[in-house]
Each structure stands twice: as C-alpha cells, then as structure tokens.
Amino acid sequence: MPYVTSVERAGIQKGEARTLLRQLTQKFGPEAAQAHRERIEAAELEQLEAWLDRILSAETPETIFH
C-alpha cells in the first residue's frame, strides 16, 4: 500500500465527503444532505467509506449513519 501524506489524505477525505453529499442529494433530496452536512464534513475517511457503502441500500438517510 503506498504511503499517503496527510495533505493527500485530507484531499481524499474532502472528495469522499462531497461524493456522499451529492449521493444524499440525489437519493433523498437536498434537505437530507443539508441535515447531515456538518457530520459528514467532520467524519474520518474510514467512516465516510462505510457511509458511502451503506447509501447504496439505504431506505432512509438515518440508516446510513447508524
């Protein structure tokens, strides 16, 4: 596994957060994305990846973040 600098990791994290917000908007509407924006933007990369996996089968936004 290649070494990832903290700057690179921060960029990846920001990109994952943006992707999750876009997916929330598409699947559940802009209100859902706005309601969870702060939590998403503060999340660690590993948590974002888990949420991105869950959005595929989520029936409500809340099921993503359990």
Side-chain angles (χ1 to χ4, degrees), residues 17-35:
R18 286 182 56 208
T19 299
L20 182 56
L21 288 166
R22 287 183 65 212
Q23 289 180 341
L24 271 173
T25 299
Q26 290 297 312
K27 189 165 184 171
F28 300 110
E31 298 83 17
Q34 189 60 33

Side-chain angles (χ1 to χ4, degrees), residues 27-28 51 53-64:
K27 189 165 184 171
F28 300 110
W51 292 339
D53 289 342
R54 288 185 200 150
I55 198 169
L56 297 173
S57 60
E59 294 183 20
T60 66
E62 290 72 27
T63 60
I64 297 166

Side-chain angles (χ1 to χ4, degrees), residues 3-60:
Y3 176 74
V4 178
T5 67
S6 59
V7 172
E8 291 170 324
R9 185 171 177 83
I12 293 168
Q13 188 172 349
K14 185 175 181 178
E16 296 284 355
R18 286 182 56 208
T19 299
L20 182 56
L21 288 166
R22 287 183 65 212
Q23 289 180 341
L24 271 173
T25 299
Q26 290 297 312
K27 189 165 184 171
F28 300 110
E31 298 83 17
Q34 189 60 33
H36 297 282
R37 178 179 300 278
E38 189 173 316
R39 184 176 187 183
I40 290 168
E41 290 177 345
E44 295 294 325
L45 183 57
E46 292 77 13
Q47 185 63 68
L48 289 167
E49 290 171 343
W51 292 339
L52 283 165
D53 289 342
R54 288 185 200 150
I55 198 169
L56 297 173
S57 60
E59 294 183 20
T60 66

